[in-house]
Amino acid sequence: NFETSINAPKEKVWEILADFSGIYKWAPLVTNSTSITADNSGLGCERTCEIQNMGSIIERVTEWNEGEGYKIEVATIPGTPVKSGFTSWLLKSEGNQTIAKILSHFELEGTEEEKNAFLENVPQLLKSSLMGLKRYAETGKRVETDDLYHMTGRTHN
């Protein structure tokens, strides 16, 4: 579970998050995303995301609190030990700023090695998504991969 302070009003941050299939615009490890339901926001909408070093996943909104956040079920992550997974985005106003929080929970199956390898990547994915949302809300720009490595203190492979 991670959080960050964004120098932008909650309404602006929500507008970015509410464009459910638009995550590729700001999440640095998401190389592409597409809506697979008629609705692009609200309860029940689904998207497919191409995630760097992870492949294609499908996500579905299971809770939608307009202007406040939502909960996503990770419907499928092929080639990983994920049996089920949920990620929640929560927004809270603090003066002229917004506190954005991302929480996740995964139920895993498979070998310990497979589970550990997957869990090692989750914090980077969550932190990079928060950093990407912050940068995009504050500047309208995407966090590039090189910036991401610098920001997380990790190096290229």
Side-chain angles (χ1 to χ4, degrees), residues 31 34 37 39 50 54 63 76 84 88 95 98 106 112-113 121 127 129 138 149-150:
T31 55
T34 313
T37 50
D39 292 327
E50 295 292 329
M54 201 178 282
E63 290 177 23
T76 169
S84 67
S88 296
T98 303
F106 293 97
E112 286 306 306
E113 193 178 337
N121 289 316
K127 281 194 261 188
S129 295
E138 291 177 352
Y149 287 111
H150 175 71

Side-chain angles (χ1 to χ4, degrees), residues 72-75 82-87 105-107:
I72 306 163
E73 176 187 10
V74 182
V82 175
K83 191 171 159 186
S84 67
F86 290 92
T87 300
H105 172 77
F106 293 97
E107 206 175 301

Side-chain angles (χ1 to χ4, degrees), residues 103-120:
L103 314 128
S104 72
H105 172 77
F106 293 97
E107 206 175 301
L108 305 177
E109 58 189 4
T111 67
E112 286 306 306
E113 193 178 337
E114 289 169 329
K115 292 178 189 177
N116 291 338
F118 175 78
L119 291 173
E120 274 179 27

